[in-house]
Amino acid sequence: MADAVTSRESDYSQWYIDVVRKAKLADYSPVRGCMVIRPNGYALWERMKETLDGLFKATGHENFYFPLFIPERFLAREAEHVEGFAKECAVVTHSRLTLNEEDELIPDPESKLEENLIVRPTSETIIWNTYADWIQSYRDLPLLYNQWANVVRWEMRTRLFLRTMEFLWQEGHTAHASKEEAVEEAERMLDVYATFAEDYMAIPVVRGRKTASERFAGAVDTLCIEALMQDGKALQAGTSHFLGQNFAKAFDCTYTDENNEEQYVWATSWGVSTRLIGALIMTHSDDQGLVLPPKLARDQVVIVPIYFNDEQRTQVLEEAQRIQQELDDADIRVKLDADDNQKPGWKFNEYELQGVPLRIGIGPRDIENDNVELARRDTREKNIVPQDGLVARIQDTLTDIQDGLFQQALERREAHTTTVDSYDAFKDVIENEGGFVKAHWDGTEATEARIQDETGATIRCIPFDRDDEPGEDMLTGEHSEGRVLFAKAY
Amino acid sequence: MADAVTSRESDYSQWYIDVVRKAKLADYSPVRGCMVIRPNGYALWERMKETLDGLFKATGHENFYFPLFIPERFLAREAEHVEGFAKECAVVTHSRLTLNEEDELIPDPESKLEENLIVRPTSETIIWNTYADWIQSYRDLPLLYNQWANVVRWEMRTRLFLRTMEFLWQEGHTAHASKEEAVEEAERMLDVYATFAEDYMAIPVVRGRKTASERFAGAVDTLCIEALMQDGKALQAGTSHFLGQNFAKAFDCTYTDENNEEQYVWATSWGVSTRLIGALIMTHSDDQGLVLPPKLARDQVVIVPIYFNDEQRTQVLEEAQRIQQELDDADIRVKLDADDNQKPGWKFNEYELQGVPLRIGIGPRDIENDNVELARRDTREKNIVPQDGLVARIQDTLTDIQDGLFQQALERREAHTTTVDSYDAFKDVIENEGGFVKAHWDGTEATEARIQDETGATIRCIPFDRDDEPGEDMLTGEHSEGRVLFAKAY
């Protein structure tokens, strides 16, 4: 029997690590800050990727692939961008190893590169350098492209999925003839991310815009979706940037418009990463391990056969295979675990740990009575149900689980969203309750920085649906245009 | 009208580059040796990847993901492996850039790494280091895993797709309890590659084993599939390695067997890369541009509407959309190009360049007569055909194209495979005709090296189906167990 998962209440951080490792999603690697994404974790990423890719293609995007390496000088072209990324990047300086006199492998001094290469932390620079070649006329626009890639940011404090030195992501990079079109694209892609988060990951998100200090390095405007985790901390689940003409100007990317005048091209970029797997875990999982929304689970149903002798084995497996076939025919993703090396009890525990949404147990007595045992991972309810109508019941239950997970997360978020008017109340909530806090802010970076220094909370976003009235900053008393969303964040 | 492609006869190398660039498959990048895979090229890779991934999963494999970086010391653990890869690898030595006194970006001396990292050229070392943690008992075996990743080998002479510093590939890494099982796995995966090459890429391949000098660095046995390109040069299209216990010993990876004895684990690895796109181009394409086998074409059919006024436009587009819908309903991948900015003639040329297998032209007169014009990319035949029965005709034609491309390539290969008995005849064929040459070899590295030095030809493989008799080495007269396959190669 696998060791139990640490409870959330006793140690939330350890609980998270336990779930990741015991559900075999990921593991530490010998390279500090990098992780090994294990088959269970990668299968989840594959489904997320496939779903997102479908949404990108449905909105007119195609995939391409740009080099892993970015010449040092490219980074320097966009002032804010280099400021944002130069301090934490992997620098390639040599192209060969050799043995020194002590027989140790060292970079061969003779292979020192003329120009150092950076392992991409993001690809705006190298892509816009090429867009300058691809774009001549308004007829070449828009370019609606995306790439699935690995990127590296030299993080010191890492945590599996949530913050790793190397991570997998997608980065969309689009080029447009007008500001309006680019802004619209950035908004469209934020909507795609929100749809994916809510309809597939079952994670409710707040859509909004980052303050200037939290913007992507090189962006004019950064839109984001923010989610609330079970411990009351926020997690940024996706960003979509309106880049204005910053990169076009840095890489001299212009087009000839319909009046034959030369114009700089307008840009967006947008991305989500394997970090989302961390968000998924921290939204739905419990003290028994991982909980997966059916739409993203590799196996939606696992069948565990129960038998005590060979005769039963033959009979039970036959029945189990029949059910497997029926579910498979109905496009339900089903696994039959007929491994004789493990006992049913061990399997029950294992699939609970791995978050499989539904478990079917079937033994000799079930067959006698034309029943199966159906166990839900989310509510941990078990029911003896008739085999008759099983497929329809399972389809309904999967829908119910998907919806239920979203509802539960939404209710938790609502319960942990507080509106405050005073700084004392703000500090009290941030310190003791956590969650999202809606408060007035005067719009200055100075106030934002002071609040962060004093409380650890940051402005997660200026929500799009800020329906409340103007007011006064809780700290300075200065004019505020409306409440913004604060929280401590991952 | 796009510029024409250089003919194969006048300059084969330039023809290849022209096809790659004019079909918008890939482009040079500002990083020497790296390429930009453009949307047309990436769409092809996506279909190849999806197909291969399905074949891997059908043979019981799952995907995972290991870090991009490999600690320097890992490479040193397997002697042949370090020998093979240390001479051409990207070395990361710093984790930060800073400005020097001249305001230039330089690696920050204070960020120098304690241990340098290598950008993976292949992942055996880092994976086997972790397998040592994952494997304890025979019950943990086999591990049947694969990863889709980018790798970097510091190549000096690069060519789009065929040889690039960074390339995309998959690398399978399996662990087994017995030698027999590992050998069987290596053979199984070679079969998967051969099936993929022949049934999807329409490229006939010879299956065989590499000589010792051509083995993967660290392998006990390297199996390969070899294809013949239109210029008579061979291209290695996939390799599958039996690694023995080399990596298990280097990383101390053992398991307890059923008799409670500790044993080293047996290994395989196998991979194919974006290089296959180069093979695809050089097998089927012609002086008009790319030719794609229908199974891998993103668009199997393109519909080009033809009209001369608005009234015709409405009528023709309506009919074109109806046909598009019909094909789509029959799961044929179809694109309707209704772009008014380009003339039909330009489109005909463009889709020919891009290798779309079938083109439907439809204009007012076709509608009047219930016909369409159907043009095949492979044979460049055009026929006026009735709209009645169009879907079935297209399905049949796509099958015919797929089969025809394979047959054509097979016949070309047969016509360019020569059996020789003397070294003079060998040199003559290699120099003047090219192609595969079957000849006797005494099995020594010395002879192999001398033949390569003198003729530029290498032993591509010792074919599995070597049905001929023992004989005498064409150069030394020593005993030969049977003919092997020589060629000049990419």
Side-chain angles (χ1 to χ4, degrees):
Chain A
M1 190 73 93
D3 309 332
V5 170
T6 305
S7 75
R8 284 162 290 183
E9 184 149 351
S10 68
D11 184 345
Y12 189 85
S13 288
Q14 189 57 46
W15 165 79
Y16 174 75
I17 301 292
D18 279 3
V19 173
V20 171
R21 300 194 65 191
K22 287 171 197 283
K24 297 198 178 81
L25 296 174
D27 226 330
Y28 295 108
S29 92
V31 183
R32 200 171 59 111
C34 290
M35 65 176 166
V36 174
I37 306 180
R38 301 188 69 166
N40 285 351
Y42 200 83
L44 197 49
W45 180 240
E46 277 180 329
R47 284 204 67 78
M48 292 166 67
K49 203 173 148 175
E50 191 186 318
T51 307
L52 279 165
D53 200 66
L55 295 171
F56 297 158
K57 284 177 177 155
T59 44
H61 302 84
E62 292 179 282
N63 291 325
F64 61 14
Y65 187 78
F66 269 72
L68 173 68
F69 297 130
I70 295 180
E72 205 171 50
R73 81 198 122 98
F74 277 24
L75 217 55
R77 298 271 279 269
E78 212 289 330
E80 288 184 18
H81 198 69
V82 65
E83 184 71 21
F85 290 106
K87 287 173 201 151
E88 41 176 48
C89 61
V91 190
V92 176
T93 57
H94 294 74
S95 66
R96 195 162 60 224
L97 293 175
T98 191
L99 292 173
N100 67 9
E101 288 171 6
E102 285 82 43
D103 234 28
E104 298 159 340
L105 271 184
I106 57 161
D108 187 340
E110 286 179 25
S111 76
K112 195 165 168 0
L113 302 185
E114 280 178 34
E115 180 177 26
N116 297 316
L117 298 173
I118 307 307
V119 179
R120 64 182 160 219
T122 181
S123 303
E124 278 78 5
T125 57
I126 193 162
I127 287 175
W128 278 87
N129 178 73
T130 292
Y131 277 3
D133 292 335
W134 289 355
I135 302 166
Q136 316 296 333
S137 136
Y138 68 94
R139 284 190 207 87
D140 300 323
L141 294 171
L143 299 186
L144 302 174
Y145 298 141
N146 172 65
Q147 78 175 3
W148 292 94
N150 53 342
V151 287
V152 170
R153 296 175 188 178
W154 207 275
E155 301 276 0
M156 281 296 114
R157 296 161 57 98
T158 58
R159 199 191 291 228
L160 294 170
F161 289 119
L162 293 172
R163 190 174 295 274
T164 48
M165 194 170 97
E166 179 192 13
F167 54 91
L168 305 183
W169 80 342
Q170 59 67 218
E171 44 181 325
H173 295 277
T174 68
H176 306 268
S178 74
K179 179 179 172 177
E180 293 66 36
E181 211 185 288
V183 166
E184 203 180 285
E185 165 78 5
E187 288 168 354
R188 180 183 305 116
M189 298 323 288
L190 193 77
D191 282 347
V192 164
Y193 289 154
T195 299
F196 176 70
E198 301 198 328
D199 293 358
Y200 293 86
M201 302 188 73
I203 302 179
V205 292
V206 177
R207 305 173 199 208
R209 105 182 334 114
K210 289 289 182 191
T211 61
S213 69
E214 297 268 339
R215 256 179 224 142
F216 175 73
V220 172
D221 197 6
T222 288
L223 312 180
C224 63
I225 51 173
E226 294 283 329
L228 194 66
M229 303 295 102
Q230 290 185 55
D231 62 345
K233 284 170 79 175
L235 189 143
Q236 174 183 299
T239 49
S240 181
H241 315 291
F242 167 59
L243 302 173
Q245 297 174 313
N246 291 349
F247 287 92
K249 283 177 180 165
F251 290 91
D252 199 23
C253 180
T254 61
Y255 73 97
T256 310
D257 71 13
E258 284 170 294
N259 304 318
N260 216 24
E261 280 173 30
E262 214 175 332
Q263 307 276 3
Y264 282 109
V265 177
W266 297 87
T268 83
S269 68
W270 27 274
V272 296
S273 73
T274 36
R275 185 164 212 236
L276 283 180
I277 297 177
L280 192 74
I281 297 164
M282 291 208 298
T283 301
H284 304 303
S285 298
D286 61 23
D287 293 349
Q288 277 69 46
L290 190 64
V291 175
L292 290 176
K295 286 192 187 173
L296 296 180
R298 176 186 45 192
D299 304 312
Q300 297 175 310
V301 180
V302 62
I303 305 175
V304 178
I306 300 156
Y307 43 81
F308 305 95
N309 58 48
D310 278 356
E311 190 190 337
Q312 288 181 354
R313 184 177 186 279
T314 309
Q315 189 197 15
V316 170
L317 280 184
E318 192 177 300
E319 200 65 12
Q321 279 157 359
R322 194 189 50 74
I323 295 173
Q324 180 188 26
Q325 190 60 55
E326 270 184 32
L327 294 177
D328 191 62
D329 289 346
D331 283 333
I332 295 165
R333 296 189 292 278
V334 56
K335 171 182 176 165
L336 167 60
D337 183 347
D339 182 2
D340 281 336
N341 286 319
Q342 302 291 357
K343 297 247 182 300
W346 186 93
K347 292 179 185 175
F348 287 6
N349 188 65
E350 186 65 15
Y351 293 113
E352 192 158 54
L353 209 46
Q354 294 189 16
V356 180
L358 276 177
R359 185 185 72 223
I360 292 175
I362 182 162
R365 194 186 300 171
D366 300 305
I367 292 177
E368 229 166 81
N369 300 323
D370 278 335
N371 288 331
V372 299
E373 184 190 71
L374 191 60
R376 275 174 77 139
R377 175 62 186 88
D378 61 337
T379 57
R380 308 190 74 214
E381 284 172 275
K382 289 186 214 175
N383 285 299
I384 304 294
V385 303
Q387 289 189 27
D388 193 37
L390 186 63
V391 170
R393 180 187 294 266
I394 283 178
Q395 278 165 330
D396 290 349
T397 312
L398 290 172
T399 305
D400 203 52
I401 296 174
Q402 181 80 30
D403 296 347
L405 289 175
F406 180 80
Q407 275 309 320
Q408 190 184 16
L410 184 62
E411 281 160 25
R412 189 189 314 117
R413 186 186 78 184
E414 296 309 311
H416 290 88
T417 300
T418 316
T419 300
V420 302
D421 284 311
S422 77
Y423 192 45
D424 281 343
F426 178 84
K427 285 191 285 195
D428 181 55
V429 176
I430 289 291
E431 194 167 327
N432 299 311
E433 292 172 46
F436 282 139
V437 185
K438 292 181 174 176
H440 280 294
W441 166 59
D442 64 14
T444 68
E445 285 196 32
T447 305
E448 187 183 9
R450 195 176 140 197
I451 293 170
Q452 180 171 5
D453 279 354
E454 293 178 3
T455 68
T458 49
I459 300 176
R460 301 318 304 152
C461 70
I462 305 166
F464 290 159
D465 67 348
R466 184 162 69 156
D467 54 359
D468 58 2
E469 301 290 301
E472 289 168 6
D473 182 291
M474 58 177 171
L475 185 59
T476 64
E478 298 292 323
H479 176 75
S480 154
E481 290 177 21
R483 288 190 169 82
V484 298
L485 202 63
F486 285 90
K488 285 190 181 175
Y490 278 97
Chain B
M1 190 72 88
D3 309 331
V5 169
T6 304
S7 74
R8 284 162 290 184
E9 183 149 352
S10 69
D11 184 345
Y12 189 84
S13 289
Q14 189 58 45
W15 165 78
Y16 175 74
I17 301 293
D18 279 3
V19 173
V20 171
R21 301 194 64 190
K22 287 172 197 284
K24 298 198 178 79
L25 297 174
D27 225 331
Y28 295 109
S29 91
V31 183
R32 200 171 59 109
C34 290
M35 66 176 165
V36 174
I37 305 180
R38 302 188 68 166
N40 285 351
Y42 200 82
L44 196 49
W45 180 239
E46 276 180 329
R47 285 205 67 78
M48 291 165 67
K49 202 173 148 174
E50 192 186 318
T51 307
L52 279 165
D53 201 66
L55 295 171
F56 297 157
K57 284 176 178 156
T59 43
H61 302 83
E62 292 180 281
N63 291 324
F64 62 13
Y65 186 78
F66 268 72
L68 172 68
F69 297 130
I70 295 179
E72 204 171 52
R73 82 197 120 100
F74 278 24
L75 217 56
R77 297 270 278 271
E78 213 289 331
E80 288 184 17
H81 198 69
V82 64
E83 183 71 21
F85 290 106
K87 287 174 201 154
E88 42 175 48
C89 62
V91 190
V92 176
T93 56
H94 294 75
S95 67
R96 198 162 59 225
L97 294 175
T98 191
L99 292 173
N100 67 8
E101 287 172 6
E102 285 82 44
D103 235 28
E104 298 159 341
L105 270 184
I106 57 161
D108 187 340
E110 287 179 25
S111 75
K112 194 162 168 4
L113 302 185
E114 280 178 34
E115 180 177 26
N116 297 315
L117 299 173
I118 307 307
V119 179
R120 63 180 161 221
T122 181
S123 302
E124 278 78 4
T125 58
I126 193 162
I127 286 174
W128 277 88
N129 179 73
T130 292
Y131 276 4
D133 292 335
W134 289 355
I135 300 167
Q136 315 297 332
S137 138
Y138 69 93
R139 284 191 206 86
D140 300 324
L141 295 169
L143 299 186
L144 303 174
Y145 298 140
N146 173 65
Q147 78 176 2
W148 291 96
N150 53 343
V151 286
V152 170
R153 296 176 187 177
W154 207 276
E155 302 276 0
M156 281 297 112
R157 296 162 58 99
T158 59
R159 200 192 291 228
L160 293 170
F161 290 118
L162 292 172
R163 191 174 292 275
T164 49
M165 194 170 97
E166 181 192 14
F167 54 91
L168 304 182
W169 80 342
Q170 59 68 219
E171 44 181 325
H173 295 276
T174 68
H176 306 267
S178 74
K179 179 179 172 178
E180 294 64 37
E181 209 185 290
V183 166
E184 203 180 285
E185 165 78 6
E187 287 169 355
R188 180 184 305 117
M189 298 323 288
L190 193 77
D191 281 348
V192 164
Y193 289 155
T195 299
F196 176 69
E198 302 198 328
D199 293 357
Y200 293 86
M201 301 188 75
I203 302 179
V205 292
V206 177
R207 304 173 200 207
R209 110 182 330 113
K210 289 288 183 191
T211 61
S213 69
E214 297 269 338
R215 259 181 221 141
F216 175 73
V220 172
D221 196 7
T222 288
L223 311 180
C224 63
I225 51 172
E226 295 283 327
L228 194 65
M229 303 295 102
Q230 290 186 55
D231 62 345
K233 283 169 79 174
L235 189 142
Q236 174 182 301
T239 49
S240 181
H241 316 291
F242 167 59
L243 302 173
Q245 297 174 312
N246 291 349
F247 287 92
K249 285 179 179 163
F251 290 91
D252 198 24
C253 181
T254 61
Y255 74 97
T256 310
D257 71 13
E258 284 171 298
N259 304 318
N260 216 25
E261 278 172 30
E262 214 175 331
Q263 306 277 2
Y264 282 110
V265 177
W266 298 86
T268 83
S269 68
W270 27 275
V272 296
S273 73
T274 37
R275 183 164 214 237
L276 283 181
I277 297 177
L280 192 74
I281 297 163
M282 291 208 299
T283 301
H284 304 304
S285 298
D286 62 22
D287 293 350
Q288 277 70 46
L290 190 63
V291 175
L292 290 176
K295 285 193 188 173
L296 295 180
R298 176 184 46 194
D299 305 312
Q300 297 175 310
V301 180
V302 61
I303 305 175
V304 177
I306 300 156
Y307 44 80
F308 305 95
N309 58 48
D310 278 356
E311 192 189 334
Q312 287 180 352
R313 182 176 189 280
T314 308
Q315 191 198 12
V316 169
L317 279 185
E318 194 177 300
E319 200 64 11
Q321 279 157 358
R322 195 188 51 73
I323 295 172
Q324 180 187 27
Q325 189 61 54
E326 270 184 30
L327 294 177
D328 192 62
D329 289 344
D331 283 333
I332 294 165
R333 296 188 294 277
V334 57
K335 171 182 175 165
L336 167 59
D337 184 347
D339 181 1
D340 282 335
N341 286 319
Q342 302 291 358
K343 298 246 184 300
W346 185 94
K347 293 179 186 175
F348 286 6
N349 188 65
E350 187 65 15
Y351 293 113
E352 191 157 55
L353 209 46
Q354 294 188 18
V356 179
L358 276 178
R359 185 185 74 221
I360 293 175
I362 181 164
R365 195 186 298 172
D366 300 305
I367 292 176
E368 230 167 78
N369 300 326
D370 280 333
N371 288 332
V372 299
E373 184 191 71
L374 192 60
R376 275 174 78 139
R377 174 63 186 88
D378 61 337
T379 56
R380 307 190 76 214
E381 284 171 276
K382 288 186 216 176
N383 284 299
I384 304 294
V385 303
Q387 288 190 27
D388 194 36
L390 186 61
V391 170
R393 180 186 293 267
I394 284 178
Q395 278 165 329
D396 290 347
T397 311
L398 289 173
T399 305
D400 203 52
I401 295 173
Q402 182 81 31
D403 296 346
L405 289 175
F406 179 79
Q407 274 310 320
Q408 190 184 18
L410 184 62
E411 282 161 23
R412 190 189 314 117
R413 187 187 77 184
E414 297 308 312
H416 290 86
T417 299
T418 316
T419 300
V420 302
D421 284 311
S422 77
Y423 193 46
D424 281 343
F426 178 84
K427 285 189 286 193
D428 180 56
V429 175
I430 289 292
E431 194 168 329
N432 299 311
E433 291 172 46
F436 282 137
V437 185
K438 291 182 175 176
H440 280 294
W441 166 60
D442 63 15
T444 69
E445 285 196 33
T447 306
E448 187 183 8
R450 193 176 142 197
I451 294 170
Q452 180 172 4
D453 278 354
E454 292 178 2
T455 67
T458 49
I459 299 176
R460 302 316 305 151
C461 69
I462 305 165
F464 289 159
D465 66 348
R466 185 161 68 154
D467 54 0
D468 56 3
E469 302 291 304
E472 289 169 8
D473 183 292
M474 60 177 170
L475 186 57
T476 64
E478 298 291 323
H479 175 76
S480 156
E481 290 177 22
R483 289 191 168 82
V484 299
L485 203 62
F486 286 90
K488 286 191 180 174
Y490 278 96

